[in-house]
Amino acid sequence: MSENEPAPELSPAEAIPQLALTLKAAGDPLRLEILRLLSQDSYSVLELCRIFDLRQPALSHHLKVLAQAGLVNKHREGNNLFYRRTAATPLLAQLFTNLDHLPLADVRVQAVSRISEERAEASRRFFADYGNRFREQQELIASYDVYGPQVAQLLKPGRHALEVGPGEGEFLQELAQRFATVTALDLSSAMLERAQSFADEQGIKNIEFVCSDTRVAAARPASADTIVVNMVLHHTPDPAQIFHDLHGALKKGGQLLIAELQEHSQDWAREACGDLWLGFAPEQLSDWAATAGLQDGRSIYSALRNGFQIQIREFIKP
């Protein structure tokens, strides 16, 4: 059974021992803090050591206990193991609900913020240093022609569109033809300049270029009819936060369109393309969207000859 499949229903004889194991694993203040932290984002063992100021053997013991009780899942990203809280079963739902109403301690919040900023800075450095050859490297994975036209087919009419991480700017042309106004938002000034140069060459005038992260979008509540995120999430330090921010920026009934890689094991993409994550399971995107208050819409899945798979997902703000 994969970690994304629902757990089989337990018989009464199995349920009591499993409940005892779960309660024993959760009956520790530190492990409860770990579960609270892992509610949305994934963290590597070394990152968790920093957040909780623990040596690796001690932290690994706690993670092992939580994993054996089915409270956390682990997945490999290249050479690193990342942990995330498991999907809530009826047995775990009340525990997780109570945990998520508790605030993280200030010292944990500060440590998480530092790690998030380090992830973002690594992405900024990559695009500042390698922006000129990024397109060449990206086409080893998936060229714009593979996903761009399919994303365009899902666009709904509206007045204002936002694209997060416009890359070379090709999809901005698509948006500028369909919407009265468009905002291009990118954390990398180097990549934003490339997108702006493309727009200037094409004579596109209805685009606003903003160099920042998605908190800027969230600060403009209910402003966008459509938001597009093409091949960006695997570069971002906190994908779950992206969903939360963009939910706030969408109008009621608005759509969020995401083109993204599915999970893969081709670790060379980290160095060649600046990827922080090796793709995502479709269920993970759905979980983040649901937690942010978005509903699943249409989906397109396609496999590429080089071993990568792309998912194009639509999420709707009800």
Side-chain angles (χ1 to χ4, degrees), residues 2-306:
S2 75
E3 63 186 38
N4 293 311
E5 293 176 349
E9 187 173 345
L10 299 177
S11 68
E14 297 169 320
I16 291 179
Q18 180 60 44
L19 177 60
L21 185 63
T22 299
L23 294 175
K24 182 177 180 180
D28 179 275
L30 177 60
R31 291 200 282 270
L32 286 175
E33 277 200 88
I34 293 172
L35 288 174
R36 173 66 182 87
L37 178 71
L38 296 179
S39 61
Q40 281 299 298
D41 205 356
S42 298
Y43 291 95
S44 71
V45 174
L46 292 180
E47 288 174 338
L48 289 170
C49 286
R50 291 176 54 193
I51 292 170
F52 291 99
D53 193 23
L54 286 175
R55 297 179 62 187
Q56 186 169 340
L59 181 71
S60 294
H61 166 72
H62 288 292
L63 291 172
K64 182 179 179 180
V65 171
L66 291 171
Q68 289 176 336
L71 290 166
V72 299
N73 289 323
K74 60 183 177 182
H75 63 277
R76 185 168 293 279
E77 296 275 350
N79 295 324
N80 294 315
L81 278 177
F82 279 74
Y83 285 82
R84 185 169 184 259
R85 201 169 75 185
T86 192
T89 63
L91 176 66
L92 302 177
Q94 191 61 51
L95 169 64
F96 289 171
T97 298
N98 290 337
L99 271 178
D100 293 345
H101 280 93
L102 300 176
L104 287 172
D106 288 344
V107 65
R108 311 291 185 226
V109 172
Q110 293 166 9
V112 167
S113 179
R114 286 193 295 270
I115 287 171
S116 181
E117 180 54 36
E118 288 169 8
R119 291 177 178 178
E121 181 58 29
S123 183
R124 280 193 292 264
R125 284 199 306 269
F126 174 85
F127 288 107
D129 295 340
Y130 299 102
N132 288 334
R133 61 185 180 89
F134 173 69
R135 184 188 184 96
E136 175 185 345
Q137 300 289 354
Q138 184 67 34
E139 290 190 352
L140 296 173
I141 299 177
S143 66
Y144 170 77
D145 292 341
V146 170
Y147 59 85
Q150 296 187 82
V151 176
Q153 290 177 8
L154 299 181
L155 288 170
K156 296 166 63 176
R159 290 195 51 79
H160 181 69
L162 164 68
E163 183 171 13
V164 178
E168 300 283 339
E170 296 101 325
F171 203 77
L172 289 174
Q173 187 172 28
E174 194 77 51
L175 294 174
Q177 294 171 352
R178 298 169 182 251
F179 295 85
T181 56
V182 178
T183 297
L185 179 65
D186 204 307
L187 190 63
S188 165
S189 59
M191 294 305 295
L192 197 66
E193 288 170 7
R194 296 176 71 83
Q196 190 161 8
S197 294
F198 176 85
D200 291 343
E201 291 170 4
Q202 301 300 317
I204 304 172
K205 303 297 185 183
N206 60 335
I207 301 177
E208 173 195 22
F209 293 88
V210 178
C211 186
S212 188
D213 58 27
T214 53
R215 286 175 293 187
V216 165
R220 302 177 179 183
S223 59
D225 298 283
T226 291
I227 300 177
V228 178
V229 186
N230 283 333
M231 304 297 284
V232 169
L233 283 183
H234 56 266
H235 295 296
T236 62
D238 190 349
Q241 185 63 39
I242 301 291
F243 279 90
H244 178 78
D245 291 343
L246 298 184
H247 169 272
L250 277 174
K251 297 178 182 177
K252 291 181 180 179
Q255 66 173 173
L256 169 62
L257 295 176
I258 293 180
E260 187 50 71
L261 295 173
Q262 295 196 57
E263 284 181 307
H264 64 88
S265 58
Q266 301 195 46
D267 195 47
W268 61 265
R270 292 183 185 276
E271 183 175 351
C273 301
D275 294 8
L276 293 177
W277 310 104
L278 299 181
F280 306 97
E283 296 84 358
Q284 194 167 24
L285 298 191
S286 293
D287 286 347
W288 283 329
T291 300
L294 298 167
Q295 296 177 346
D296 275 305
R298 296 165 290 176
S299 301
I300 301 172
Y301 298 92
S302 57
L304 308 178
R305 287 177 297 177
N306 53 12

